[in-house]
Amino acid sequence: MVQCEQFTTPVDAVISRMRALDSDLPARDGLAVFNRVYLAVTEAVDRRIDSGRFPDARAAITLDVRFAERYLAAVDAAADERRPPACWRPLFQFRHHPGVRPLQFALAGINAHIGHDLALAVVDTCRTLGCEPADVEDEFDRVGDLLVSLEERIREDLMPGPDVLQIADPLTHLLGAWSLERARDATWTAARALWALRRLPDVAEEFTDRLDAAVGLAGRMLLTPLPD
């Protein structure tokens, strides 16, 4: 089991910050849509940690917090009129677009957070704990399994009903091209690659930039406005 150092931000503080965002943002805001989804996921992870369902609770907490910090940093950057990572820019750019559906906002945020932030959070966690990615793979898998289980519910809750079939068909086609499970698998590979490249900072930075750009492109596609 990993022997962990003290993490910097408790999960409760992360949840409190996301709850504050939920209260402050208009319900139809694309960022608010994703934030509600992520808040539900983080609360579920916190309950599982409290109930002992993570064998190494401190490693799970550290990964959860490092992960959330990257999302909150992107939110702060946009609020301060600084450029967030490329993976997040489509969501901030289109968050008020009337032609983008809530499910698109939710999955675009998940795409950015899983496809880019999670890989970097694994590296952050390993640096904090002084361990290897393999030492936190169980925690990574358990969080990933929870996300996959929630994805189906998210799609069911946010998919338009039969009264709007004129948009459901293109929406189904668009969102069927993206898979959380595939994104999670790619993220684990990216995290291992970044860890292996940690002593080659120039190469690691280039790899991170390319990953960020690629995930941002996928997010832009997910946010394609659809006809009314």
Side-chain angles (χ1 to χ4, degrees):
M1 186 174 293
V2 177
Q3 297 299 313
C4 305
E5 300 173 6
Q6 181 65 34
F7 51 91
T8 59
T9 308
V11 177
D12 287 346
V14 167
I15 290 174
S16 177
R17 176 75 193 285
M18 284 191 274
R19 285 175 177 166
L21 284 170
D22 186 49
S23 297
D24 292 343
L25 294 171
R28 184 61 179 79
D29 185 314
L31 179 62
V33 174
F34 168 72
N35 188 77
R36 287 194 295 272
V37 170
Y38 191 30
L39 174 58
V41 169
T42 306
E43 289 173 335
V45 170
D46 193 36
R47 288 193 297 271
R48 292 187 180 204
I49 290 171
D50 289 344
S51 64
R53 297 180 66 179
F54 285 91
D56 190 337
R58 186 166 283 189
I61 290 169
T62 304
L63 178 60
D64 192 44
V65 170
R66 295 299 187 211
F67 189 29
E69 285 174 340
R70 290 196 169 271
Y71 160 62
L72 295 173
V75 172
D76 289 341
D80 295 341
E81 298 185 348
R82 294 179 284 111
R83 283 171 67 84
C87 62
W88 285 106
R89 287 174 207 157
L91 181 58
F92 288 115
Q93 180 181 358
F94 287 88
R95 61 193 285 189
H96 302 297
H97 198 296
V100 179
R101 309 301 164 187
L103 180 56
Q104 292 175 265
F105 288 131
L107 294 186
I110 293 171
N111 170 70
H113 204 36
I114 298 294
H116 173 266
D117 293 354
L118 184 54
L120 274 62
V122 169
V123 174
D124 293 341
T125 298
C126 290
R127 286 177 172 151
T128 299
L129 305 183
C131 67
E132 297 287 323
D135 296 319
V136 296
E137 187 171 5
D138 285 348
E139 287 68 37
F140 177 95
D141 286 341
R142 287 171 185 268
V143 172
D145 289 344
L146 177 60
L147 286 164
V148 170
S149 71
L150 289 175
E151 184 193 14
E152 183 176 350
R153 191 183 79 187
I154 292 164
R155 289 177 182 264
E156 290 176 353
D157 289 348
L158 298 180
M159 178 66 78
D163 56 325
V164 283
L165 286 177
Q166 68 270 25
I167 65 168
D169 284 345
L171 183 61
T172 301
H173 176 77
L174 177 66
L175 300 179
W178 186 86
S179 162
L180 174 56
E181 196 158 5
R182 289 197 301 268
R184 182 185 68 169
D185 291 344
T187 291
W188 181 248
T189 300
R192 293 177 61 218
L194 282 169
W195 185 251
L197 292 171
R198 67 191 182 280
R199 295 186 180 87
L200 298 170
D202 291 345
V203 180
E205 182 178 3
E206 181 177 353
F207 183 95
T208 302
D209 289 345
R210 297 291 177 87
L211 176 66
D212 190 19
V215 173
L217 178 61
R220 176 62 185 83
M221 297 296 289
L222 286 168
L223 293 173
T224 300
L226 299 173
D228 293 327

